[in-house]
Amino acid sequence: MVVFITGATAGFGRAMVKKYINAGDTVIATGRRKSVLDELRLEHGERLYPLELDIQNKELVEKQLSALTGDLKNIDVLINNAGLALGMDSAQKATLSDWEQMVDTNIKGLLYCTHAILPGMVERGRGHIINLGSVAGEFPYPSGNVYGATKAFVHQLSLNLRADLLGTPVRVTCIEPGMCSGTEFSAVRYKGDQKKADAVYAGMKALSAEDIAETVHWVTTRPPHVNINVISLMPTQQAFGSFAVNRT
C-alpha cells in the first residue's frame, strides 16, 4: 500500500510511519519540519518519501499532491492526522488567532488533503481515508470550545463522506482518542509550558502514540467488505463524569 500521513513528524503520525513501514508499506510522510522528515528518511529508508508540507496552504497542497509521480500518486490510505489544540481559556477569554489556527489545521487542512486525494481513490476503485478526531468532538469540557467543535466537524464529515461514497469501494473511518501521553499535544496546547503539559497525565496511565498507530493499522487491514465507521478509545483510567450544575 501507499500510505499518506499528515503530521508525520511527531506523536501519532511518527508512530504510524513506523507501523506501516514495518508492515512493508510505502509511506509519504508529511510535515513542516524538514529536519525531522530527513531523520525519518534516514531511519526508514527508501520506502519512506518525505514531503515538506503545510496543510493549511491550499495552493501548496494542490501543487505537492499533483507533483507526485509513479506509484506514489496512487495513494491507498490517507491518514488525516495533523491537528492541534491551542489554549485552555474559556471562550470569553480565548485568543481569536488560536481559534483560527485550530480551524485552519483541524478542518481546512483536512479538507484540502481529502479533496486532493479522494477523487483518485474513487477513480482507481480502492482507498481508505482515516480521520483523526477526538472524544472531545462528542463530549464537551470546559475550555474545549473550538477544539472540540473542530473535532465534531471531523466526526460528522467522516460519516457524510461514507454517505457520498456508497457504491464505491472507498472506506472512511474516524478514530477518536481520549487522553494520550508521549506526544506534543499538551505541550502545544500550553504553548511550550512542559510542566503544565506533564501535569495533564500525572498519576494515570494514558494511551500512547503506539496504541493509536496500532488501532489505525488494524482498521486499514480489515477485509475490503468491512468499513469501521468510528472508533472511540480512552485509557481505562479515563471515563465520563456527571453533568455540571451551577447552584445559586
Side-chain angles (χ1 to χ4, degrees):
M1 293 193 301
V2 177
V3 183
F4 187 99
I5 304 174
T6 67
T9 56
F12 297 169
R14 190 157 187 164
M16 291 173 200
V17 167
K18 183 176 181 179
K19 184 69 180 178
Y20 280 99
I21 290 289
N22 288 345
D25 298 308
T26 297
V27 173
I28 302 172
T30 78
R32 292 182 296 178
R33 290 177 286 187
K34 184 179 184 301
S35 60
V36 180
L37 292 173
D38 290 341
E39 289 175 14
L40 289 172
R41 172 70 175 188
L42 289 173
E43 180 181 353
H44 296 294
E46 62 183 13
R47 281 191 291 106
L48 184 134
Y49 181 83
L51 184 64
E52 187 178 0
L53 181 64
D54 181 357
I55 64 167
Q56 299 179 60
N57 186 325
K58 179 177 65 175
E59 289 74 22
L60 184 60
V61 170
E62 292 172 350
K63 179 181 178 181
Q64 295 279 51
L65 267 293
S66 63
L68 293 174
T69 59
D71 291 339
L72 291 177
K73 67 182 179 182
N74 299 324
I75 295 166
D76 297 292
V77 178
L78 163 61
I79 305 178
N80 283 311
N81 165 70
L84 78 165
L86 285 174
M88 280 297 290
D89 290 324
S90 57
Q92 63 270 29
K93 298 179 181 178
T95 302
L96 184 58
S97 60
D98 286 350
W99 284 4
E100 290 175 324
Q101 189 170 350
M102 286 185 280
V103 168
D104 288 345
T105 305
N106 302 356
I107 295 179
K108 289 184 178 181
L110 182 150
L111 291 178
Y112 298 155
C113 292
T114 301
H115 190 265
I117 292 172
L118 178 57
M121 290 182 168
V122 173
E123 183 179 346
R124 291 187 297 275
R126 69 179 191 273
H128 199 150
I129 295 175
I130 302 288
N131 293 326
L132 262 293
S134 169
V135 294
E138 185 175 2
F139 305 104
Y141 57 86
S143 302
N145 46 72
V146 169
Y147 173 69
T150 64
K151 293 304 182 178
F153 175 91
V154 172
H155 174 97
Q156 193 62 32
L157 175 68
S158 300
L159 299 183
N160 276 276
L161 287 174
R162 277 291 300 139
D164 285 348
L165 290 166
L166 182 64
T168 81
V170 179
R171 300 185 287 180
V172 182
T173 303
C174 189
I175 306 291
E176 302 179 347
M179 296 175 72
C180 186
S181 63
T183 74
E184 297 178 354
F185 178 83
S186 287
V188 170
R189 184 167 216 169
Y190 286 105
K191 301 183 179 180
D193 190 328
Q194 194 61 50
K195 186 176 181 180
K196 286 185 178 179
D198 292 341
V200 173
Y201 311 104
M204 57 93 68
K205 183 173 179 57
L207 299 174
S208 68
E210 289 70 26
D211 292 328
I212 308 307
E214 180 72 27
T215 302
V216 169
H217 184 261
W218 178 83
V219 166
T220 58
T221 53
R222 294 310 85 209
H225 71 286
V226 177
N227 188 92
I228 308 297
N229 296 323
V230 180
I231 289 185
S232 175
L233 64 161
M234 297 192 297
T236 307
Q237 288 180 274
Q238 182 184 15
F240 312 100
S242 58
F243 285 112
V245 177
N246 178 31
R247 303 187 187 278
T248 58

